[in-house]
Amino acid sequence: MHSALEIVASVDRLKSLPAVYHRIRAELESPEGSLTEVARLITHDGVMTGRVLQVINSPLYGFSGKIDSVMRAVQLLGMQQVHDLVLATAVSEAFDGVHAERMNMRLFWRQSVLRGLAARVIARHCGLLDAERMFVIGLLADLGHLVMYLTVPEKAEQAQQESDDTSHPLHEIERRLIGADYAEVGAALLDGWQLPTGFASAVAGQHTPCTAGAHNFEAAILSLANRIADADRRGLSSEDAAGRVDSSIWTHLDLSADTMSEIREEAELNLAAVIALFFPRHHG
């Protein structure tokens, strides 16, 4: 049996994000941090510059190709959104070439992007002020599975197969077979990256939002977004997917089950474009 920390510790290549992310993060967190310096740091990384401009001019943000400089992008987005955009870009850069035995990587990234888009749509429906951040948290929420397929692929595949065959919750089967579930492993990874506290807390609590402390609302959003991603993987209708959501989640988010179809359609609207943007080799 393995703990979440043991599983993460055994994957050397996932231990760090690009240096440019950490420099930008330090600048954003500094009392003397400035948007000008953040723009300069991004501009000094050619790949990051191209991706940031691509993303801000994409359907994800809706500026329709009008932003032609990093400084303008940084001014429009502000500190937190710049951090989140750089983080999403750094993760896509770091992971796009990763191949896990027994895992369909194209499907994995499709599910991750759909979960992120769904989380953002749900957050907007709930009136959350930083709804954009939920896209990034949703994008990161299943990274624990990638780590597990890189470290204990046979057990991870066995757990998924048993869950599909029995409809028993996957995370419970993973705890029994492996000793930790993908939410715990993902949270350990995000902690190791020293991301803002809310990211790991929401990811750890995505199955049981009440355990996520101050970030229980974000965890509840992830829980609902997971059902949308799962419905996509299994080919379920939105009605079936809504029926699989715990009633406490609907209550917590102050949403009703009949909004599931609308949320799902809105999330799927720009799915192909966003996959192509962040994970081009897995698009199509």
Side-chain angles (χ1 to χ4, degrees), residues 208-220:
T208 48
C210 61
T211 65
H215 302 283
N216 61 83
F217 199 80
E218 291 94 330

Side-chain angles (χ1 to χ4, degrees), residues 2-284:
H2 308 272
S3 73
L5 286 173
E6 287 169 345
I7 292 170
V8 170
S10 65
V11 190
D12 289 332
R13 60 185 149 164
L14 304 188
K15 283 183 183 173
S16 60
L17 289 172
V20 64
Y21 167 74
H22 294 290
R23 287 197 291 270
I24 290 167
R25 170 88 187 274
E27 187 65 25
L28 293 173
E29 292 186 343
S30 165
E32 291 81 38
S34 74
L35 287 174
T36 304
E37 180 61 14
V38 169
R40 190 189 71 76
L41 286 168
I42 295 172
T43 305
H44 274 241
D45 185 302
V47 173
M48 188 65 75
T49 297
R51 296 296 290 273
V52 165
L53 290 176
Q54 255 189 312
V55 173
I56 196 171
N57 286 301
S58 76
L60 199 57
Y61 283 92
F63 290 114
S64 308
K66 296 170 186 169
I67 312 304
D68 58 3
S69 79
V70 171
M71 188 65 222
R72 181 74 178 126
V74 169
Q75 288 170 334
L76 281 167
L77 293 179
M79 286 287 206
Q80 179 180 294
Q81 281 203 50
V82 167
H83 167 275
D84 294 351
L85 172 53
V86 169
L87 174 58
T89 305
V91 168
S92 69
E93 285 293 322
F95 284 86
D96 197 24
V98 172
H99 177 75
E101 181 191 353
R102 301 169 185 259
M103 176 178 262
N104 180 334
M105 295 304 296
R106 179 172 292 187
L107 179 62
F108 174 76
W109 289 122
R110 174 189 167 86
Q111 299 290 294
S112 295
V113 172
L114 178 57
R115 184 182 295 99
L117 290 170
R120 186 173 74 148
V121 172
I122 296 161
R124 286 177 172 173
H125 276 252
C126 295
L128 211 64
L129 290 177
D130 55 352
E132 302 305 319
R133 168 154 283 191
M134 286 308 306
F135 169 74
V136 189
I137 296 176
L139 186 68
L140 302 175
D142 199 32
L143 282 182
H145 262 139
L146 180 52
V147 174
M148 291 166 87
Y149 274 85
L150 288 169
T151 53
V152 285
E154 294 87 0
K155 293 282 189 188
E157 186 179 49
Q158 183 186 342
Q160 184 66 71
Q161 191 60 56
E162 186 177 328
S163 177
D164 287 344
D165 291 345
T166 64
S167 293
H168 202 71
L170 175 58
H171 62 283
E172 293 179 7
I173 298 171
E174 287 174 341
R175 283 181 204 152
R176 174 166 51 80
L177 292 179
I178 299 166
D181 66 50
Y182 70 91
E184 295 169 307
V185 173
L189 178 67
L190 303 189
D191 266 338
W193 285 346
Q194 299 180 309
L195 297 190
T197 315
F199 284 75
S201 296
V203 168
Q206 60 185 296
H207 303 304
T208 48
C210 61
T211 65
H215 302 283
N216 61 83
F217 199 80
E218 291 94 330
I221 289 174
L222 277 186
S223 180
L224 182 53
N226 278 336
R227 288 302 179 192
I228 291 173
D230 186 58
D232 180 78
R233 188 180 76 84
R234 296 173 186 259
L236 301 177
S237 69
S238 295
E239 188 179 0
D240 283 343
R244 290 168 176 250
V245 177
D246 191 287
S247 60
S248 66
I249 298 294
W250 294 118
T251 304
H252 194 19
L253 298 177
D254 196 21
L255 295 173
S256 62
D258 57 15
T259 60
M260 177 66 100
S261 178
E262 182 186 346
I263 290 168
R264 186 177 179 180
E265 285 171 19
E266 207 176 323
E268 289 174 345
L269 193 61
N270 296 311
L271 179 59
V274 178
I275 293 171
L277 190 65
F278 283 103
F279 303 100
R281 78 178 70 196
H282 297 293
H283 174 57

